[in-house]
Amino acid sequence: MFAGRYKKPKTNGRAVPLAIPRQTKSASDWDTFNYDHRSSKVAYDPVDLWDRLQAECPVSHSDKYGGFWFVSRYDDVMSSLVDWETFSSAQGVLVPAGASPLIPMEMDPPLHRKFRALLNPAFSPKRLAFFEGRIRSEARAQIAALDGLKTFEVCEAYARPFPKRVAIGLLGFPADDLPMLDHWISRLGKDLRDDPAVAEVGAKLSEYLSETLKVRAKRLSQDDLIGVVQDAVIDGQPISHDEQISMLMLLLFGGLDTTTAVLAGALGWLADHPEDRVRLRAQPELFASAAEEFVRFTSPASHMSRVTTRDTEIAGCPIGSAQRVMLGFGAANRDRRAFKDPNDVILDRHPNRHLGFGAGPHRCVGSHLGKLQVRIGLEEFLARFENFEIDDRSALRWEGAEARALAHLPLRVT
Ligand code: HEM
């Protein structure tokens, strides 16, 4: 198993291992080190590990889940994301693989471009400006439900239900179905790959989407995403029923855990940093750059993978064809080579070319919507609660996998 840096010697053009700089871990430590994005170490406390990997072993091999390379530096993650011809998404981006392919996330251009073009107009900033009022009403409704409470768990009480209600509204489900959808989506908050009972709920939701597509004759509103998917035509042919379901699933879930995680991480930071709350209240124009910075800092989509289509190299490390490469979006966003004081939140950080929404052809289609929800979610929370602090630090819980998130955050508010 490779665990070091490589460079190409001038003599024969073939890559050979370089000596590994010995700092906190020795070469042999890294030789037996298997990065695991689903481990509690990575969920709870990854920052020192990422830092050491970036310094000593920026491309490491893990034997976990059938084997993959883990890439931790910003420049390497960025260049792999942009080079989709070498680093393909078409064989899946999840490790281990999900139940069925996600469209358009698990496709390569040129087909990817055609599916993506169907979605882009629905997520443009101009289009989303129409939703701002609706999104704010959802945030206010969730906050109103907290009236009178002195302590609450913020994910359950606010950071999860708020984006869920927004997503359900944007897709355009019939109002009568909301309680049932709400219930299914909450059950599906868990990783489908680990729990057969959750997979069963996934099957029910997929069946429901299938029926909805069959029976619904017209869009509920001009902006409704079910309608966009229902009307989708590529190369003169309507897209297939399975493609429609896959797109709807991704549109429904792509923005849920991610937005929840950014909001929870942001509120956790603000609970511990009253000076940043004061600054945001004094300069409300900073909410927009703060939302961007909280996406960098929390990086919920922290590990997405690709498969190589040919022999290549990353940071001088030779990687053969058909190898799985996990890109550390979260690690890259804490790389001190790319960001000054990467482990601090700087509300007006500029420039902030983070990879929280990815890069290249798959850069998040919902990025404007995600940021809008984070901005409004924080504005409304800070408007309602003057002061808040973490109520019980021992109860903080993190979850890790492709998405890494603060999943339990008890707050005391005044
Ligand atoms: C702050 C919230 C969000 C974060 C951090 C986030 C993060 C990401 C990342 C990193 C990717 C790229 C994955 C890759 O390269 O393999 C992505 C793609 C995607 N996201 Fe988001 N996302 C967020 C919100 C949303 C929302 C609100 C939606 C839709 C309602 C959404 C829908 C999608 C879709 C459909 C893709 C696939 C795009 C493609 O393959 O072309 N996301 N997201």
Side-chain angles (χ1 to χ4, degrees), residues 81 93 104-105 112 116 119 123 250-251 254-255 258-259 262 295 300-301 304 306 329 355-358 361-366 369-370 373:
L81 285 172
V93 298
M105 198 173 329
H112 166 265
R116 179 67 189 241
L119 295 178
F123 288 97
L250 183 56
L251 288 170
T258 44
T259 309
V262 181
V295 173
M304 309 297 279
R306 303 291 190 260
F329 292 57
L355 296 177
F357 290 117
H362 292 281
R363 191 177 188 282
C364 179
V365 74
L369 175 60
Q373 290 184 86

PDB file of all heavy atoms in Angstrom, residues 81 93 104-105 112 116 119 123 250-251 254-255 258-259 262 295 300-301 304 306 329 355-358 361-366 369-370 373, ligand 1:
ATOM      1  N   LEU A  81     -11.318  17.542  -9.619  1.00  0.00           N
ATOM      2  CA  LEU A  81     -12.734  17.838  -9.897  1.00  0.00           C
ATOM      3  C   LEU A  81     -12.927  18.419 -11.291  1.00  0.00           C
ATOM      4  O   LEU A  81     -13.906  18.120 -11.985  1.00  0.00           O
ATOM      5  CB  LEU A  81     -13.277  18.828  -8.861  1.00  0.00           C
ATOM      6  CG  LEU A  81     -13.553  18.261  -7.473  1.00  0.00           C
ATOM      7  CD1 LEU A  81     -13.897  19.369  -6.493  1.00  0.00           C
ATOM      8  CD2 LEU A  81     -14.680  17.241  -7.538  1.00  0.00           C
ATOM      9  N   VAL A  93     -20.321   8.060  -6.952  1.00  0.00           N
ATOM     10  CA  VAL A  93     -19.487   8.971  -6.166  1.00  0.00           C
ATOM     11  C   VAL A  93     -19.516   8.615  -4.678  1.00  0.00           C
ATOM     12  O   VAL A  93     -18.855   9.248  -3.877  1.00  0.00           O
ATOM     13  CB  VAL A  93     -19.898  10.452  -6.373  1.00  0.00           C
ATOM     14  CG1 VAL A  93     -19.714  10.865  -7.822  1.00  0.00           C
ATOM     15  CG2 VAL A  93     -21.321  10.724  -5.912  1.00  0.00           C
ATOM     16  N   PRO A 104     -28.186  14.206 -11.871  1.00  0.00           N
ATOM     17  CA  PRO A 104     -27.059  14.045 -12.793  1.00  0.00           C
ATOM     18  C   PRO A 104     -25.712  13.850 -12.104  1.00  0.00           C
ATOM     19  O   PRO A 104     -24.687  13.889 -12.765  1.00  0.00           O
ATOM     20  CB  PRO A 104     -27.071  15.391 -13.521  1.00  0.00           C
ATOM     21  CG  PRO A 104     -27.507  16.371 -12.470  1.00  0.00           C
ATOM     22  CD  PRO A 104     -28.463  15.630 -11.574  1.00  0.00           C
ATOM     23  N   MET A 105     -25.698  13.596 -10.782  1.00  0.00           N
ATOM     24  CA  MET A 105     -24.425  13.587 -10.060  1.00  0.00           C
ATOM     25  C   MET A 105     -23.512  12.443 -10.505  1.00  0.00           C
ATOM     26  O   MET A 105     -22.294  12.575 -10.516  1.00  0.00           O
ATOM     27  CB  MET A 105     -24.685  13.486  -8.554  1.00  0.00           C
ATOM     28  CG  MET A 105     -23.466  13.922  -7.826  1.00  0.00           C
ATOM     29  SD  MET A 105     -23.520  14.082  -6.068  1.00  0.00           S
ATOM     30  CE  MET A 105     -25.027  14.532  -5.506  1.00  0.00           C
ATOM     31  N   HIS A 112     -24.078  14.294 -19.007  1.00  0.00           N
ATOM     32  CA  HIS A 112     -24.315  15.074 -17.802  1.00  0.00           C
ATOM     33  C   HIS A 112     -24.779  16.489 -18.132  1.00  0.00           C
ATOM     34  O   HIS A 112     -25.710  17.019 -17.528  1.00  0.00           O
ATOM     35  CB  HIS A 112     -23.045  15.125 -16.932  1.00  0.00           C
ATOM     36  CG  HIS A 112     -23.119  16.174 -15.867  1.00  0.00           C
ATOM     37  ND1 HIS A 112     -22.602  17.438 -16.007  1.00  0.00           N
ATOM     38  CD2 HIS A 112     -23.712  16.156 -14.642  1.00  0.00           C
ATOM     39  CE1 HIS A 112     -22.857  18.147 -14.920  1.00  0.00           C
ATOM     40  NE2 HIS A 112     -23.511  17.395 -14.076  1.00  0.00           N
ATOM     41  N   ARG A 116     -28.031  18.404 -16.785  1.00  0.00           N
ATOM     42  CA  ARG A 116     -27.778  19.578 -15.950  1.00  0.00           C
ATOM     43  C   ARG A 116     -28.485  20.812 -16.522  1.00  0.00           C
ATOM     44  O   ARG A 116     -29.024  21.639 -15.782  1.00  0.00           O
ATOM     45  CB  ARG A 116     -26.267  19.766 -15.863  1.00  0.00           C
ATOM     46  CG  ARG A 116     -25.775  20.929 -15.077  1.00  0.00           C
ATOM     47  CD  ARG A 116     -26.069  20.789 -13.589  1.00  0.00           C
ATOM     48  NE  ARG A 116     -25.739  22.048 -12.965  1.00  0.00           N
ATOM     49  CZ  ARG A 116     -24.827  22.219 -12.039  1.00  0.00           C
ATOM     50  NH1 ARG A 116     -24.183  21.195 -11.540  1.00  0.00           N
ATOM     51  NH2 ARG A 116     -24.578  23.403 -11.553  1.00  0.00           N
ATOM     52  N   LEU A 119     -31.894  21.544 -15.307  1.00  0.00           N
ATOM     53  CA  LEU A 119     -32.075  22.047 -13.940  1.00  0.00           C
ATOM     54  C   LEU A 119     -31.611  23.487 -13.745  1.00  0.00           C
ATOM     55  O   LEU A 119     -32.166  24.214 -12.926  1.00  0.00           O
ATOM     56  CB  LEU A 119     -31.297  21.158 -12.956  1.00  0.00           C
ATOM     57  CG  LEU A 119     -31.765  19.719 -12.838  1.00  0.00           C
ATOM     58  CD1 LEU A 119     -30.867  18.946 -11.878  1.00  0.00           C
ATOM     59  CD2 LEU A 119     -33.215  19.686 -12.331  1.00  0.00           C
ATOM     60  N   PHE A 123     -32.703  27.061 -10.825  1.00  0.00           N
ATOM     61  CA  PHE A 123     -31.901  27.415  -9.647  1.00  0.00           C
ATOM     62  C   PHE A 123     -31.114  28.714  -9.828  1.00  0.00           C
ATOM     63  O   PHE A 123     -30.200  28.991  -9.062  1.00  0.00           O
ATOM     64  CB  PHE A 123     -30.935  26.274  -9.311  1.00  0.00           C
ATOM     65  CG  PHE A 123     -31.625  25.068  -8.738  1.00  0.00           C
ATOM     66  CD1 PHE A 123     -31.961  24.003  -9.553  1.00  0.00           C
ATOM     67  CD2 PHE A 123     -31.962  25.019  -7.402  1.00  0.00           C
ATOM     68  CE1 PHE A 123     -32.611  22.893  -9.031  1.00  0.00           C
ATOM     69  CE2 PHE A 123     -32.619  23.915  -6.866  1.00  0.00           C
ATOM     70  CZ  PHE A 123     -32.943  22.856  -7.688  1.00  0.00           C
ATOM     71  N   LEU A 250     -32.694  13.075  -5.930  1.00  0.00           N
ATOM     72  CA  LEU A 250     -31.515  13.911  -5.668  1.00  0.00           C
ATOM     73  C   LEU A 250     -31.938  15.347  -5.351  1.00  0.00           C
ATOM     74  O   LEU A 250     -31.376  15.986  -4.454  1.00  0.00           O
ATOM     75  CB  LEU A 250     -30.563  13.867  -6.871  1.00  0.00           C
ATOM     76  CG  LEU A 250     -29.258  14.630  -6.708  1.00  0.00           C
ATOM     77  CD1 LEU A 250     -28.478  14.173  -5.481  1.00  0.00           C
ATOM     78  CD2 LEU A 250     -28.378  14.477  -7.950  1.00  0.00           C
ATOM     79  N   LEU A 251     -32.960  15.842  -6.054  1.00  0.00           N
ATOM     80  CA  LEU A 251     -33.402  17.218  -5.790  1.00  0.00           C
ATOM     81  C   LEU A 251     -34.006  17.342  -4.393  1.00  0.00           C
ATOM     82  O   LEU A 251     -33.851  18.348  -3.716  1.00  0.00           O
ATOM     83  CB  LEU A 251     -34.426  17.661  -6.836  1.00  0.00           C
ATOM     84  CG  LEU A 251     -33.841  17.921  -8.225  1.00  0.00           C
ATOM     85  CD1 LEU A 251     -34.944  18.122  -9.254  1.00  0.00           C
ATOM     86  CD2 LEU A 251     -32.917  19.146  -8.202  1.00  0.00           C
ATOM     87  N   GLY A 254     -30.654  16.278  -1.944  1.00  0.00           N
ATOM     88  CA  GLY A 254     -29.353  16.944  -2.118  1.00  0.00           C
ATOM     89  C   GLY A 254     -29.195  18.148  -1.216  1.00  0.00           C
ATOM     90  O   GLY A 254     -28.102  18.443  -0.742  1.00  0.00           O
ATOM     91  N   GLY A 255     -30.284  18.836  -0.953  1.00  0.00           N
ATOM     92  CA  GLY A 255     -30.179  20.076  -0.189  1.00  0.00           C
ATOM     93  C   GLY A 255     -30.615  19.952   1.253  1.00  0.00           C
ATOM     94  O   GLY A 255     -30.646  20.952   1.970  1.00  0.00           O
ATOM     95  N   THR A 258     -27.320  18.660   3.829  1.00  0.00           N
ATOM     96  CA  THR A 258     -26.254  19.638   3.614  1.00  0.00           C
ATOM     97  C   THR A 258     -26.623  20.985   4.255  1.00  0.00           C
ATOM     98  O   THR A 258     -25.861  21.538   5.049  1.00  0.00           O
ATOM     99  CB  THR A 258     -26.029  19.831   2.102  1.00  0.00           C
ATOM    100  OG1 THR A 258     -27.298  19.945   1.456  1.00  0.00           O
ATOM    101  CG2 THR A 258     -25.237  18.688   1.503  1.00  0.00           C
ATOM    102  N   THR A 259     -27.809  21.492   3.941  1.00  0.00           N
ATOM    103  CA  THR A 259     -28.216  22.794   4.476  1.00  0.00           C
ATOM    104  C   THR A 259     -28.375  22.710   5.995  1.00  0.00           C
ATOM    105  O   THR A 259     -27.955  23.616   6.735  1.00  0.00           O
ATOM    106  CB  THR A 259     -29.532  23.262   3.808  1.00  0.00           C
ATOM    107  OG1 THR A 259     -29.372  23.161   2.399  1.00  0.00           O
ATOM    108  CG2 THR A 259     -29.868  24.685   4.168  1.00  0.00           C
ATOM    109  N   VAL A 262     -24.922  22.896   7.571  1.00  0.00           N
ATOM    110  CA  VAL A 262     -24.301  24.225   7.578  1.00  0.00           C
ATOM    111  C   VAL A 262     -24.965  25.082   8.655  1.00  0.00           C
ATOM    112  O   VAL A 262     -24.286  25.764   9.441  1.00  0.00           O
ATOM    113  CB  VAL A 262     -24.400  24.920   6.197  1.00  0.00           C
ATOM    114  CG1 VAL A 262     -23.725  26.285   6.261  1.00  0.00           C
ATOM    115  CG2 VAL A 262     -23.746  24.077   5.114  1.00  0.00           C
ATOM    116  N   VAL A 295     -20.331  27.615   4.843  1.00  0.00           N
ATOM    117  CA  VAL A 295     -20.304  26.440   3.940  1.00  0.00           C
ATOM    118  C   VAL A 295     -18.871  25.896   3.874  1.00  0.00           C
ATOM    119  O   VAL A 295     -18.632  24.692   3.967  1.00  0.00           O
ATOM    120  CB  VAL A 295     -20.819  26.792   2.530  1.00  0.00           C
ATOM    121  CG1 VAL A 295     -20.629  25.616   1.571  1.00  0.00           C
ATOM    122  CG2 VAL A 295     -22.294  27.183   2.575  1.00  0.00           C
ATOM    123  N   PRO A 300     -20.260  20.216   4.588  1.00  0.00           N
ATOM    124  CA  PRO A 300     -20.989  18.964   4.855  1.00  0.00           C
ATOM    125  C   PRO A 300     -20.750  17.877   3.797  1.00  0.00           C
ATOM    126  O   PRO A 300     -20.642  16.708   4.148  1.00  0.00           O
ATOM    127  CB  PRO A 300     -22.452  19.394   4.882  1.00  0.00           C
ATOM    128  CG  PRO A 300     -22.503  20.774   4.364  1.00  0.00           C
ATOM    129  CD  PRO A 300     -21.157  21.377   4.478  1.00  0.00           C
ATOM    130  N   ALA A 301     -20.687  18.256   2.511  1.00  0.00           N
ATOM    131  CA  ALA A 301     -20.367  17.230   1.493  1.00  0.00           C
ATOM    132  C   ALA A 301     -18.851  17.084   1.515  1.00  0.00           C
ATOM    133  O   ALA A 301     -18.143  17.698   0.733  1.00  0.00           O
ATOM    134  CB  ALA A 301     -20.874  17.685   0.133  1.00  0.00           C
ATOM    135  N   MET A 304     -16.434  12.982  -1.583  1.00  0.00           N
ATOM    136  CA  MET A 304     -17.111  12.437  -2.768  1.00  0.00           C
ATOM    137  C   MET A 304     -16.026  11.798  -3.625  1.00  0.00           C
ATOM    138  O   MET A 304     -14.917  12.312  -3.694  1.00  0.00           O
ATOM    139  CB  MET A 304     -17.800  13.539  -3.582  1.00  0.00           C
ATOM    140  CG  MET A 304     -18.704  14.470  -2.786  1.00  0.00           C
ATOM    141  SD  MET A 304     -20.107  13.676  -2.012  1.00  0.00           S
ATOM    142  CE  MET A 304     -21.241  13.581  -3.355  1.00  0.00           C
ATOM    143  N   ARG A 306     -14.442   9.588  -7.182  1.00  0.00           N
ATOM    144  CA  ARG A 306     -14.407   9.454  -8.631  1.00  0.00           C
ATOM    145  C   ARG A 306     -13.696   8.149  -8.953  1.00  0.00           C
ATOM    146  O   ARG A 306     -13.029   7.570  -8.092  1.00  0.00           O
ATOM    147  CB  ARG A 306     -13.622  10.620  -9.276  1.00  0.00           C
ATOM    148  CG  ARG A 306     -14.148  12.037  -8.956  1.00  0.00           C
ATOM    149  CD  ARG A 306     -15.489  12.290  -9.607  1.00  0.00           C
ATOM    150  NE  ARG A 306     -15.926  13.690  -9.528  1.00  0.00           N
ATOM    151  CZ  ARG A 306     -16.811  14.157  -8.648  1.00  0.00           C
ATOM    152  NH1 ARG A 306     -17.347  13.371  -7.736  1.00  0.00           N
ATOM    153  NH2 ARG A 306     -17.182  15.427  -8.688  1.00  0.00           N
ATOM    154  N   PHE A 329     -13.183  17.003   0.118  1.00  0.00           N
ATOM    155  CA  PHE A 329     -13.689  18.390   0.025  1.00  0.00           C
ATOM    156  C   PHE A 329     -13.507  19.094   1.368  1.00  0.00           C
ATOM    157  O   PHE A 329     -13.109  20.254   1.433  1.00  0.00           O
ATOM    158  CB  PHE A 329     -15.184  18.404  -0.307  1.00  0.00           C
ATOM    159  CG  PHE A 329     -15.570  17.928  -1.684  1.00  0.00           C
ATOM    160  CD1 PHE A 329     -15.228  16.672  -2.145  1.00  0.00           C
ATOM    161  CD2 PHE A 329     -16.323  18.739  -2.515  1.00  0.00           C
ATOM    162  CE1 PHE A 329     -15.614  16.236  -3.403  1.00  0.00           C
ATOM    163  CE2 PHE A 329     -16.720  18.317  -3.772  1.00  0.00           C
ATOM    164  CZ  PHE A 329     -16.369  17.063  -4.214  1.00  0.00           C
ATOM    165  N   LEU A 355     -14.368  24.762  -1.635  1.00  0.00           N
ATOM    166  CA  LEU A 355     -14.901  23.648  -2.423  1.00  0.00           C
ATOM    167  C   LEU A 355     -16.146  23.045  -1.760  1.00  0.00           C
ATOM    168  O   LEU A 355     -16.501  21.909  -2.023  1.00  0.00           O
ATOM    169  CB  LEU A 355     -13.815  22.578  -2.593  1.00  0.00           C
ATOM    170  CG  LEU A 355     -12.591  23.033  -3.394  1.00  0.00           C
ATOM    171  CD1 LEU A 355     -11.529  21.937  -3.441  1.00  0.00           C
ATOM    172  CD2 LEU A 355     -12.987  23.425  -4.816  1.00  0.00           C
ATOM    173  N   GLY A 356     -16.790  23.821  -0.905  1.00  0.00           N
ATOM    174  CA  GLY A 356     -17.981  23.316  -0.201  1.00  0.00           C
ATOM    175  C   GLY A 356     -19.107  22.943  -1.150  1.00  0.00           C
ATOM    176  O   GLY A 356     -19.934  22.082  -0.833  1.00  0.00           O
ATOM    177  N   PHE A 357     -19.151  23.569  -2.312  1.00  0.00           N
ATOM    178  CA  PHE A 357     -20.148  23.199  -3.322  1.00  0.00           C
ATOM    179  C   PHE A 357     -19.502  22.420  -4.460  1.00  0.00           C
ATOM    180  O   PHE A 357     -20.117  22.230  -5.515  1.00  0.00           O
ATOM    181  CB  PHE A 357     -20.829  24.455  -3.888  1.00  0.00           C
ATOM    182  CG  PHE A 357     -21.741  25.150  -2.909  1.00  0.00           C
ATOM    183  CD1 PHE A 357     -21.476  26.445  -2.479  1.00  0.00           C
ATOM    184  CD2 PHE A 357     -22.872  24.514  -2.412  1.00  0.00           C
ATOM    185  CE1 PHE A 357     -22.316  27.098  -1.584  1.00  0.00           C
ATOM    186  CE2 PHE A 357     -23.722  25.155  -1.510  1.00  0.00           C
ATOM    187  CZ  PHE A 357     -23.446  26.452  -1.094  1.00  0.00           C
ATOM    188  N   GLY A 358     -18.265  21.983  -4.272  1.00  0.00           N
ATOM    189  CA  GLY A 358     -17.565  21.262  -5.333  1.00  0.00           C
ATOM    190  C   GLY A 358     -16.971  22.234  -6.346  1.00  0.00           C
ATOM    191  O   GLY A 358     -16.838  23.442  -6.092  1.00  0.00           O
ATOM    192  N   PRO A 361     -17.747  20.348 -13.560  1.00  0.00           N
ATOM    193  CA  PRO A 361     -19.102  20.208 -14.113  1.00  0.00           C
ATOM    194  C   PRO A 361     -20.170  19.886 -13.075  1.00  0.00           C
ATOM    195  O   PRO A 361     -21.334  20.223 -13.272  1.00  0.00           O
ATOM    196  CB  PRO A 361     -18.961  19.047 -15.114  1.00  0.00           C
ATOM    197  CG  PRO A 361     -17.653  18.388 -14.824  1.00  0.00           C
ATOM    198  CD  PRO A 361     -16.789  19.402 -14.154  1.00  0.00           C
ATOM    199  N   HIS A 362     -19.781  19.250 -11.969  1.00  0.00           N
ATOM    200  CA  HIS A 362     -20.802  18.839 -10.990  1.00  0.00           C
ATOM    201  C   HIS A 362     -21.001  19.859  -9.874  1.00  0.00           C
ATOM    202  O   HIS A 362     -21.702  19.565  -8.893  1.00  0.00           O
ATOM    203  CB  HIS A 362     -20.438  17.480 -10.382  1.00  0.00           C
ATOM    204  CG  HIS A 362     -20.540  16.376 -11.378  1.00  0.00           C
ATOM    205  ND1 HIS A 362     -21.732  15.801 -11.743  1.00  0.00           N
ATOM    206  CD2 HIS A 362     -19.588  15.780 -12.132  1.00  0.00           C
ATOM    207  CE1 HIS A 362     -21.516  14.880 -12.658  1.00  0.00           C
ATOM    208  NE2 HIS A 362     -20.213  14.846 -12.919  1.00  0.00           N
ATOM    209  N   ARG A 363     -20.381  21.042 -10.010  1.00  0.00           N
ATOM    210  CA  ARG A 363     -20.552  22.031  -8.929  1.00  0.00           C
ATOM    211  C   ARG A 363     -22.039  22.163  -8.612  1.00  0.00           C
ATOM    212  O   ARG A 363     -22.879  22.209  -9.521  1.00  0.00           O
ATOM    213  CB  ARG A 363     -19.960  23.383  -9.339  1.00  0.00           C
ATOM    214  CG  ARG A 363     -19.889  24.326  -8.155  1.00  0.00           C
ATOM    215  CD  ARG A 363     -19.248  25.651  -8.504  1.00  0.00           C
ATOM    216  NE  ARG A 363     -19.047  26.431  -7.298  1.00  0.00           N
ATOM    217  CZ  ARG A 363     -20.011  27.107  -6.683  1.00  0.00           C
ATOM    218  NH1 ARG A 363     -21.231  27.130  -7.177  1.00  0.00           N
ATOM    219  NH2 ARG A 363     -19.755  27.768  -5.562  1.00  0.00           N
ATOM    220  N   CYS A 364     -22.334  22.213  -7.338  1.00  0.00           N
ATOM    221  CA  CYS A 364     -23.719  22.112  -6.862  1.00  0.00           C
ATOM    222  C   CYS A 364     -24.695  23.016  -7.615  1.00  0.00           C
ATOM    223  O   CYS A 364     -24.532  24.237  -7.642  1.00  0.00           O
ATOM    224  CB  CYS A 364     -23.763  22.468  -5.379  1.00  0.00           C
ATOM    225  SG  CYS A 364     -25.422  22.407  -4.701  1.00  0.00           S
ATOM    226  N   VAL A 365     -25.739  22.402  -8.167  1.00  0.00           N
ATOM    227  CA  VAL A 365     -26.745  23.187  -8.885  1.00  0.00           C
ATOM    228  C   VAL A 365     -27.584  24.004  -7.893  1.00  0.00           C
ATOM    229  O   VAL A 365     -28.152  25.039  -8.250  1.00  0.00           O
ATOM    230  CB  VAL A 365     -27.626  22.263  -9.764  1.00  0.00           C
ATOM    231  CG1 VAL A 365     -28.597  21.455  -8.918  1.00  0.00           C
ATOM    232  CG2 VAL A 365     -28.371  23.026 -10.826  1.00  0.00           C
ATOM    233  N   GLY A 366     -27.638  23.542  -6.640  1.00  0.00           N
ATOM    234  CA  GLY A 366     -28.472  24.224  -5.643  1.00  0.00           C
ATOM    235  C   GLY A 366     -27.690  25.189  -4.767  1.00  0.00           C
ATOM    236  O   GLY A 366     -28.172  25.581  -3.706  1.00  0.00           O
ATOM    237  N   LEU A 369     -29.486  28.399  -3.777  1.00  0.00           N
ATOM    238  CA  LEU A 369     -30.587  28.095  -2.864  1.00  0.00           C
ATOM    239  C   LEU A 369     -30.042  27.730  -1.478  1.00  0.00           C
ATOM    240  O   LEU A 369     -30.565  28.178  -0.449  1.00  0.00           O
ATOM    241  CB  LEU A 369     -31.414  26.930  -3.436  1.00  0.00           C
ATOM    242  CG  LEU A 369     -32.527  26.408  -2.556  1.00  0.00           C
ATOM    243  CD1 LEU A 369     -33.542  27.493  -2.235  1.00  0.00           C
ATOM    244  CD2 LEU A 369     -33.226  25.223  -3.225  1.00  0.00           C
ATOM    245  N   GLY A 370     -28.985  26.917  -1.455  1.00  0.00           N
ATOM    246  CA  GLY A 370     -28.373  26.536  -0.175  1.00  0.00           C
ATOM    247  C   GLY A 370     -27.933  27.765   0.592  1.00  0.00           C
ATOM    248  O   GLY A 370     -28.239  27.922   1.778  1.00  0.00           O
ATOM    249  N   GLN A 373     -30.835  29.850   1.927  1.00  0.00           N
ATOM    250  CA  GLN A 373     -31.459  29.275   3.130  1.00  0.00           C
ATOM    251  C   GLN A 373     -30.582  29.490   4.361  1.00  0.00           C
ATOM    252  O   GLN A 373     -31.083  29.772   5.445  1.00  0.00           O
ATOM    253  CB  GLN A 373     -31.697  27.782   2.936  1.00  0.00           C
ATOM    254  CG  GLN A 373     -32.789  27.496   1.943  1.00  0.00           C
ATOM    255  CD  GLN A 373     -33.052  25.997   1.850  1.00  0.00           C
ATOM    256  OE1 GLN A 373     -33.816  25.455   2.627  1.00  0.00           O
ATOM    257  NE2 GLN A 373     -32.408  25.344   0.911  1.00  0.00           N
TER     258      GLN A 373
HETATM  259  C1  HEM B   1     -25.403  24.349   1.661  1.00  0.00           C
HETATM  260  C2  HEM B   1     -26.003  23.380   1.032  1.00  0.00           C
HETATM  261  C3  HEM B   1     -25.372  22.486  -0.009  1.00  0.00           C
HETATM  262  C4  HEM B   1     -24.113  21.965  -0.090  1.00  0.00           C
HETATM  263  C5  HEM B   1     -22.958  22.173   0.890  1.00  0.00           C
HETATM  264  C6  HEM B   1     -24.053  21.170  -1.310  1.00  0.00           C
HETATM  265  C7  HEM B   1     -22.917  20.516  -1.768  1.00  0.00           C
HETATM  266  C8  HEM B   1     -22.819  19.899  -3.012  1.00  0.00           C
HETATM  267  C9  HEM B   1     -21.604  19.373  -3.585  1.00  0.00           C
HETATM  268  C10 HEM B   1     -20.229  19.392  -2.932  1.00  0.00           C
HETATM  269  C11 HEM B   1     -21.905  18.871  -4.816  1.00  0.00           C
HETATM  270  C12 HEM B   1     -20.915  18.247  -5.825  1.00  0.00           C
HETATM  271  C13 HEM B   1     -20.815  16.737  -5.699  1.00  0.00           C
HETATM  272  C14 HEM B   1     -19.743  16.144  -6.584  1.00  0.00           C
HETATM  273  O1  HEM B   1     -18.901  16.844  -7.129  1.00  0.00           O
HETATM  274  O2  HEM B   1     -19.734  14.904  -6.719  1.00  0.00           O
HETATM  275  C15 HEM B   1     -23.321  19.049  -5.013  1.00  0.00           C
HETATM  276  C16 HEM B   1     -24.024  18.668  -6.132  1.00  0.00           C
HETATM  277  C17 HEM B   1     -25.394  18.746  -6.249  1.00  0.00           C
HETATM  278  N1  HEM B   1     -26.263  19.370  -5.372  1.00  0.00           N
HETATM  279 FE1  HEM B   1     -25.745  20.377  -3.696  1.00  0.00          FE
HETATM  280  N2  HEM B   1     -25.289  21.204  -1.906  1.00  0.00           N
HETATM  281  C18 HEM B   1     -26.107  22.014  -1.163  1.00  0.00           C
HETATM  282  C19 HEM B   1     -27.420  22.357  -1.451  1.00  0.00           C
HETATM  283  C20 HEM B   1     -28.157  21.830  -2.485  1.00  0.00           C
HETATM  284  C21 HEM B   1     -29.546  22.121  -2.747  1.00  0.00           C
HETATM  285  C22 HEM B   1     -30.407  23.096  -1.939  1.00  0.00           C
HETATM  286  C23 HEM B   1     -29.918  21.348  -3.828  1.00  0.00           C
HETATM  287  C24 HEM B   1     -31.249  21.238  -4.547  1.00  0.00           C
HETATM  288  C25 HEM B   1     -32.406  21.456  -4.086  1.00  0.00           C
HETATM  289  C26 HEM B   1     -28.749  20.608  -4.245  1.00  0.00           C
HETATM  290  C27 HEM B   1     -28.703  19.730  -5.303  1.00  0.00           C
HETATM  291  C28 HEM B   1     -27.549  19.227  -5.849  1.00  0.00           C
HETATM  292  C29 HEM B   1     -27.515  18.471  -7.103  1.00  0.00           C
HETATM  293  C30 HEM B   1     -28.720  18.105  -7.974  1.00  0.00           C
HETATM  294  C31 HEM B   1     -26.164  18.168  -7.353  1.00  0.00           C
HETATM  295  C32 HEM B   1     -25.580  17.416  -8.545  1.00  0.00           C
HETATM  296  C33 HEM B   1     -25.081  18.423  -9.563  1.00  0.00           C
HETATM  297  C34 HEM B   1     -24.414  17.781 -10.765  1.00  0.00           C
HETATM  298  O3  HEM B   1     -24.019  16.615 -10.696  1.00  0.00           O
HETATM  299  O4  HEM B   1     -24.323  18.467 -11.780  1.00  0.00           O
HETATM  300  N3  HEM B   1     -27.706  20.929  -3.419  1.00  0.00           N
HETATM  301  N4  HEM B   1     -23.855  19.688  -3.901  1.00  0.00           N
END
